Amino acid sequence: VQFEESGGGVVQPGGSLTLSCAASGFDFADYALQWWKGPEWIATIQRGGRRTAYGDSVKGRFTVSRDDAKNMMYLQMNSLKPEDTGVYHCERPGFLEKGRGTRVTVSS
């Protein structure tokens, strides 16, 4: 099982970024997936992509989506704040494997 996150970078407050998570080694469409920032849960997307949930700190600003045909998950991040700074990684809830993460820095 492998996860590879990408799309991080440096952005000014109020800006946007889209993170990507490429997964392999398991039946992607059969699992819920999550984004985390370090130890902070950011978002979950269920199988099929119809149900999503967000942490309070990002609700209304971030949107999680998935493309099961490509084994990809995304995190659209809008209205970024300095407190969004951190390393974001993706994983399957309840499993140990996760990627190395991609760093997001929000700074003027």
Side-chain angles (χ1 to χ4, degrees), residues 20-84:
S20 299
C21 169
S24 61
F26 63 100
D27 292 326
F28 185 85
D30 289 345
Y31 291 89
L33 299 165
Q34 294 180 326
W35 283 101
W36 291 75
K37 184 185 71 175
E40 179 185 0
W41 168 68
I42 297 299
T44 299
I45 185 165
Q46 298 295 339
R47 294 172 52 183
R50 295 179 184 177
R51 290 173 55 195
T52 58
Y54 299 90
D56 288 342
S57 65
V58 306
K59 203 172 295 183
R61 300 188 296 121
F62 290 10
T63 303
V64 60
S65 61
R66 63 191 294 165
D67 184 340
D68 290 346
K70 297 181 179 179
N71 283 14
M72 295 289 295
M73 179 176 63
Y74 306 96
L75 186 68
Q76 174 66 45
M77 310 165 70
N78 296 328
S79 302
L80 283 161
K81 304 176 181 180
E83 50 264 43
D84 296 320

